[in-house]
Amino acid sequence: MSSAVSLPVLRSLVTGSPPYQVAQSEIREAARTLFPRMAARPHLLDVFSNAQIELRALSRPLGWYLEPRGFGEKNAVFIEQARALITRLGAEALARAELRPTELDAVIVVNTSGLSTPSLDAWLIESLGMGRHAARLPIWGLGCAGGAAGLARAADLVRAGFKRVLYVAVELCSLTLVKGDESKSNFVGTALFSDGGAALVVTSPDVPGPPPLLSLHGAYSTLIENSEDIMGWDVVDDGLKVRFSRDIPALVRGMMRGNVAEALAAHGWTQEEISTFIVHPGGVKVLSAYEEALDLPSGALDSSRAVLRAHGNMSSVTVLFVLEEALKAGPRGKALLSAMGPGFSAEHVLLEL
């Protein structure tokens, strides 16, 4: 293992949202228009209150989603809003890290909820004024697991010699709503999904700057066999239609204890050493399953629940909001950041706060 001196470190972390903040109660009422057949059975609307979400950010006013929108129109909104969000957050992350854009060696952009070619990292280089020889790593398709995987890849780049890395994740999941589709997956997604972004600067420890927020010890990835059906997008004329299959909480209860033990053991750690768990809040049932699988004490995932309540599920971005929330509490010691997503896969990042 690398010595503590040579570990990549996190210099800054900034999160943000698109401009439209909407209460969950308003979205529940809008669901009566979006899902008239399901709304005729009032108990089905309980999913909106059972989600334990109070507020969500959207890329357009709520009324915009009540009209049919084609893939092209929705994706144009994605590009417009994603570019604006990552430019703002990226600039702030660099300022907090006390770095000039021209000093960056590499940029990573993670997203799954929209398409852009050229990829968003090219836009970011232009808009921030980065050097034109910076290495680019766009990562698409990892969904909720992407926030953890992107952080792991940022650390990998630093270990490989790219000493200053800007890592940005952006997801505008609200734009994947397919009006007129009354499938269970689309209905549940409407109760959970929201929009947001995060920007982080990861550097080698010898780069001058503010005191590090944490060090990155390593990562562990698992692709579960025969699991492609569990989560993903079906590409239809109206856009990216969410696909949920099988019982994800049951999967977490069945595999997470052993998977976490493997991830920690690969780096010589044990669960008893972990003081903080930073978990992507895919939903309240997923968080409960995680607590059950790892036998966590009450309150161990309070940061995850706080982010879910205040922001909803922003796919890859959400676990980075949780990391920010956990850092506010000023914890010290070893931590594990975890997320699961399409593949179906699990991603873990070992941190020291």
Side-chain angles (χ1 to χ4, degrees):
M1 274 181 72
S2 302
S3 66
V5 176
S6 63
L7 292 172
V9 296
L10 180 66
R11 296 288 186 175
S12 64
L13 166 58
V14 179
T15 63
S17 306
Y20 303 102
Q21 301 286 324
V22 182
Q24 179 80 329
S25 57
E26 295 179 70
I27 298 175
R28 176 188 169 121
E29 287 307 304
R32 298 182 186 276
T33 300
L34 291 167
F35 303 95
R37 179 176 59 82
M38 302 182 90
R41 302 161 64 188
H43 72 280
L44 292 179
L45 291 174
D46 289 346
V47 68
F48 287 86
S49 54
N50 293 340
Q52 297 181 20
I53 296 169
E54 296 177 0
L55 195 66
R56 288 193 272 163
L58 305 178
S59 295
R60 284 290 185 264
L62 182 57
W64 184 88
Y65 297 87
L66 302 183
E67 299 297 327
R69 308 288 176 182
F71 195 1
E73 182 180 7
K74 289 190 284 189
N75 202 68
V77 173
F78 171 84
I79 292 173
E80 169 202 306
Q81 290 292 323
R83 285 178 170 183
L85 192 55
I86 64 175
T87 300
R88 172 168 63 87
L89 298 178
E92 186 174 346
L94 288 176
R96 290 191 189 183
E98 300 175 7
L99 287 176
R100 296 186 299 275
T102 52
E103 294 180 284
L104 288 169
D105 301 303
V107 58
I108 299 172
V109 178
V110 166
N111 80 283
T112 300
S113 49
L115 304 177
S116 177
T117 304
S119 50
L120 291 170
D121 48 282
W123 169 266
L124 201 54
I125 288 174
E126 293 278 4
S127 62
L128 294 181
M130 293 172 54
R132 295 183 178 273
H133 302 293
R136 297 165 49 196
L137 181 58
I139 301 175
W140 194 91
L142 292 179
C144 298
L151 183 58
R153 299 295 81 76
D156 287 342
L157 285 179
V158 171
R159 294 187 188 98
F162 299 88
K163 301 183 74 169
R164 302 166 184 85
V165 177
L166 175 63
Y167 161 40
V168 174
V170 60
E171 303 287 6
L172 307 181
C173 302
S174 71
L175 298 174
T176 67
L177 168 70
V178 177
K179 188 179 187 301
D181 170 27
E182 295 209 42
S183 66
K184 181 179 179 181
S185 292
N186 194 42
F187 185 66
V188 172
T190 304
L192 294 175
F193 284 158
S194 56
D195 303 345
L200 305 83
V201 173
V202 179
T203 74
S204 62
D206 59 340
V207 170
L213 300 173
L214 55 85
S215 56
L216 293 132
H217 283 256
Y220 193 80
S221 301
T222 303
L223 181 64
I224 302 163
E225 63 182 8
N226 300 319
S227 63
E228 181 182 352
D229 66 304
I230 293 178
M231 180 185 291
W233 300 129
D234 291 320
V235 181
V236 299
D237 289 344
D238 293 325
L240 301 174
K241 175 183 172 182
V242 68
R243 180 174 71 245
F244 294 127
S245 180
R246 299 200 227 175
D247 187 342
I248 296 174
L251 181 68
V252 171
R253 282 190 295 270
M255 69 161 282
M256 193 50 65
R257 186 176 189 87
N259 189 245
V260 165
E262 291 172 3
L264 297 174
H267 297 274
W269 290 14
T270 66
Q271 184 175 329
E272 289 69 31
E273 297 177 80
I274 304 300
S275 59
T276 305
F277 288 87
I278 299 159
V279 177
H280 168 70
V284 290
K285 291 182 179 179
V286 174
L287 290 177
S288 295
Y290 200 100
E291 289 171 326
E292 182 181 334
L294 296 183
D295 194 24
L296 297 180
S298 175
L301 300 185
D302 279 356
S303 294
S304 297
R305 287 192 166 86
V307 168
L308 183 65
R309 184 167 54 250
H311 300 281
N313 184 343
M314 301 167 284
S315 189
S316 67
V317 174
T318 323
V319 77
L320 303 175
F321 272 66
V322 178
L323 176 57
E324 180 184 52
E325 186 73 17
L327 287 170
K328 290 177 184 176
R332 294 293 182 268
K334 294 179 177 178
L336 184 69
L337 183 146
S338 301
M340 303 182 79
F344 194 70
S345 60
E347 297 283 343
H348 304 289
V349 186
L350 285 70
L351 315 172
E352 191 153 10
L353 307 175

